[in-house]
Amino acid sequence: MNHQVKQPGKARHRWTKEVADIDFFVDYEGAKATVRWIKRNEMLIKKGARLRKETPLLKDGSLGFAAKFTLMLRQMHADKIKDFVTTEDIILKSVNEVGNFLYFAGTNSWFVLKDRQGKSINDYTAVT
């Protein structure tokens, strides 16, 4: 008999009012920030966040999609950034945009954002 193991699909996440009151912290690749998921499509990066400075390049020395997207996001909020530190709160649309903005992505941001006890935003919001 041919038994196939079903692979889990991509996790889905659901915003709740309870999660809106939790500070999540980023400390990854030189980026440090406090973030809140305040509404379904609104992630708040609190003033004083430190952005990763060095732009990662592809093997051929060019910019990849994530780097181009990050630079575009940062340009959109350039008036709120000085010397790679945010000078005002910034609102983005998703956990993935937050990861791009802060550290050029490159990892699953649902596991990078953690509360004071080390519980990830994924732990709070993943839907089974």
Side-chain angles (χ1 to χ4, degrees), residues 9-16 37 121-128:
K10 182 178 175 185
R12 291 181 308 128
H13 298 88
R14 183 167 294 136
W15 176 84
T16 63
W37 192 1
I121 196 167
N122 180 75
D123 294 333
Y124 282 98
T125 63
V127 178
T128 54

Side-chain angles (χ1 to χ4, degrees), residues 69-113:
F69 181 69
T70 297
L71 295 173
M72 180 201 67
L73 269 179
R74 289 182 178 185
Q75 185 59 42
M76 288 171 52
H77 297 280
D79 61 326
K80 299 175 187 164
I81 303 168
K82 181 171 174 36
D83 298 326
F84 297 96
V85 176
T86 60
T87 58
E88 296 178 37
D89 291 349
I90 292 177
I91 303 284
L92 297 176
K93 294 179 182 172
S94 68
V95 168
N96 294 326
E97 275 194 9
V98 167
N100 272 282
F101 183 79
L102 293 172
Y103 48 82
F104 292 93
T107 191
N108 188 334
S109 296
W110 291 96
F111 296 102
V112 173
L113 280 74

Side-chain angles (χ1 to χ4, degrees), residues 5 11 21 24 46 82 117:
V5 177
D21 294 327
F24 291 96
K46 291 188 178 181
K82 181 171 174 36
Q117 290 73 41

Side-chain angles (χ1 to χ4, degrees), residues 56-73:
L57 301 175
L58 298 176
K59 289 179 183 174
D60 67 2
S62 66
L63 291 173
F65 175 79
K68 289 177 185 175
F69 181 69
T70 297
L71 295 173
M72 180 201 67
L73 269 179

